[in-house]
Amino acid sequence: MSDNFTDPNNHTLPQPAASAGYNFPALIFGVLLIVVIAGGNVLVCLSVYLEKALKTTTNYFIVSLAFADLLLAVLVLPLFVYAEFQGGVWSLNMLVCDGLMTMDVMLCTASIFNLCAISVDRFIAVSIPLNYNRKHVDQRQVVLLSATWLLALAVASPVIFGINDVPDRDPGECKLEDNNYVVYSSVCSFFIPCPIMVLLYFGVFRGLRSWEESRKLKLRSSIDACRKLQHAAVAAAFPPLAGTIPGPLPMPLPRIIERDLAQCRLDDTGDNMQRQIPYPRQYRENSVPTVTFSQQLHRKKRAKINSRERKAMQVLPVVVGCFLFCWTPFFVVHTTRAVCVTCDIPPALMSTVTWLGYVNSALNPVIYTIFNTEFRKFFKKCFRSCC
């Protein structure tokens, strides 16, 4: 009997032999990981199902991601943790092993593909916002969601069709038997979607910056055009009054432009902002503002706008950083092991990167909800009702 358990991408998890005793640290950590993954992803699914404010297109993609991680916690991790507890020795039927390998490859791939699909969805939302449906799933988004799961199934399908059924198979070891398939699955599951996701999020970041600059530029152009028309109309109707500043008396801007101008100016100023009148200096004494903001309202507006934009920018490196931190060591180490059979890879390293890949499923609910106020409100309500 082998003292190793190997999971979908042919990575071996060395543990003490069964005769040396059970691996209780692996059992404790595995059970905690299952509880965290299951609990966090169930809350994500329930929040979108119960809260009307969360029924948006992007959140449906997050639910798909949460469902993949939830199935991983329910169908894969219990058997994986059981084998770890047994010292890495596979003591169950080989048919169960093949089922475990199939579900592990499929669900890990589906989790990664869902992360990539979210990046595609956000890139579309930023690049072509007018054609993006934020409230209802349209045909394009249905195709993207369906492709995520169908491609994950396609990557895992060779295991279903018997690639693991080889002569002289060790019944005490559960692993993928074909190193070529290990390379194939790693390329399809990680090395292709990973750079795509990074490039798309880079495009999202640039798109947000470009959109904000374009919005401010259009707003200033609209104000200038509106002022010129108003000045021309006033100059034609009324001559300048004696004793006043030369030039026509400027009329109030339309309320919607005044409001957008105030927001735009708040975006450009820091915490020590000084109130300024949004039209030329030579007309300040004669002009009558149409919209008056209190200092407190100014602060609330500034905090709201800056917070939203700051979070939109900050979430991008967090998403990409956690993804790369959890999955890159996993696939690099095990692809290297499959390609270089004679390479000496420390058992502790292989075990660490394996657990790290599974930890990503516990981080996903945190990453995709901590920056969303509605998610946080739902989670707090659930915790208060339970306590």
Side-chain angles (χ1 to χ4, degrees):
M1 300 284 284
S2 170
D3 61 349
N4 294 326
F5 169 83
T6 309
D7 84 337
N9 287 323
N10 203 24
H11 45 278
T12 303
L13 306 180
Q15 297 294 343
S19 58
Y22 296 114
N23 191 344
F24 285 100
L27 176 65
I28 295 173
F29 180 76
V31 170
L32 290 176
L33 185 61
I34 291 172
V35 171
V36 171
I37 294 175
N41 288 287
V42 165
L43 280 177
V44 170
C45 296
L46 285 177
S47 61
V48 177
Y49 177 75
L50 296 176
E51 291 291 329
K52 184 177 180 180
L54 291 173
K55 295 182 184 296
T56 63
T57 303
T58 300
N59 289 343
Y60 290 142
F61 282 91
I62 294 178
V63 168
S64 179
L65 170 66
F67 186 65
D69 292 334
L70 180 60
L71 289 180
L72 183 73
V74 173
L75 300 178
V76 174
L77 282 180
L79 290 174
F80 171 75
V81 173
Y82 173 75
E84 290 283 89
F85 177 65
Q86 294 290 330
V89 177
W90 183 256
S91 59
L92 302 177
N93 187 280
M94 299 311 294
L95 186 62
V96 177
C97 172
D98 290 343
L100 173 63
M101 295 297 99
T102 301
M103 297 305 299
D104 197 2
V105 173
M106 177 180 171
L107 294 175
C108 287
T109 303
S111 180
I112 297 173
F113 281 1
N114 274 292
L115 292 172
C116 192
I118 291 173
S119 67
V120 173
D121 176 73
R122 291 183 175 179
F123 179 78
I124 294 174
V126 171
S127 301
I128 47 175
L130 295 179
N131 296 330
Y132 182 79
N133 191 340
R134 289 175 170 79
K135 293 299 182 181
H136 305 286
V137 178
D138 59 22
Q139 183 178 2
R140 177 176 53 200
Q141 292 150 350
V142 169
V143 170
L144 187 57
L145 281 170
S146 302
T148 296
W149 287 92
L150 291 176
L151 290 175
L153 179 60
V155 173
S157 61
V159 184
I160 301 175
F161 293 117
I163 198 173
N164 260 11
D165 190 11
V166 297
D168 301 326
R169 185 179 182 183
D170 186 355
E173 192 176 18
C174 184
K175 66 175 185 177
L176 294 175
E177 303 290 342
D178 192 331
N179 286 334
N180 292 327
Y181 175 72
V182 174
V183 176
Y184 157 76
S185 62
S186 298
V187 169
C188 294
S189 300
F190 179 79
F191 292 109
I192 290 178
C194 175
I196 291 176
M197 186 175 71
V198 172
L199 290 175
L200 286 174
Y201 272 125
F202 180 73
V204 169
F205 181 84
R206 293 192 62 182
L208 287 173
R209 294 289 298 272
S210 176
W211 178 86
E212 185 62 24
E213 292 174 0
S214 175
R215 183 183 71 87
K216 293 177 182 178
L217 181 61
K218 290 180 179 179
L219 178 60
R220 293 189 181 101
S221 299
S222 299
I223 293 173
D224 291 341
C226 184
R227 279 293 180 209
K228 288 179 181 179
L229 291 174
Q230 290 177 344
H231 294 166
V234 172
F238 303 99
L241 298 177
T244 63
I245 298 175
L249 179 68
M251 297 177 63
L253 287 169
R255 289 181 179 272
I256 186 171
I257 295 182
E258 289 279 11
R259 184 186 62 205
D260 290 345
L261 177 62
Q263 292 180 355
C264 186
R265 297 183 69 85
L266 288 172
D267 289 342
D268 292 334
T269 54
D271 292 334
N272 298 324
M273 180 199 69
Q274 296 181 354
R275 297 179 63 186
Q276 301 180 26
I277 300 176
Y279 28 82
R281 180 178 180 276
Q282 62 267 30
Y283 302 129
R284 290 181 185 176
E285 296 181 7
N286 291 334
S287 61
V288 180
T290 59
V291 179
T292 303
F293 293 94
S294 67
Q295 190 68 18
Q296 183 179 8
L297 182 59
H298 271 284
R299 290 174 181 172
K300 288 183 179 180
K301 278 284 189 182
R302 182 174 67 252
K304 179 180 179 182
I305 294 171
N306 290 344
S307 175
R308 182 176 67 248
E309 294 174 355
R310 183 171 59 253
K311 288 177 180 179
M313 297 299 181
Q314 287 178 344
V315 71
L316 303 181
V318 172
V319 169
V320 177
C322 289
F323 171 81
L324 295 178
F325 177 78
C326 290
W327 285 112
T328 301
F330 178 94
F331 284 100
V332 169
V333 169
H334 296 295
T335 303
T336 302
R337 181 180 181 272
V339 173
C340 181
V341 180
T342 59
C343 294
D344 183 17
I345 299 177
L349 176 61
M350 292 191 291
S351 181
T352 300
V353 297
T354 299
W355 283 106
L356 192 59
Y358 288 133
V359 165
N360 183 251
S361 295
L363 294 178
N364 286 335
V366 178
I367 296 172
Y368 286 95
T369 58
I370 195 172
F371 295 96
N372 189 303
T373 305
E374 297 299 329
F375 272 116
R376 290 201 303 270
K377 288 180 181 179
F378 181 84
F379 288 171
K380 289 178 181 179
K381 183 166 47 175
C382 287
F383 290 140
R384 288 172 184 171
S385 61
C386 293
C387 300

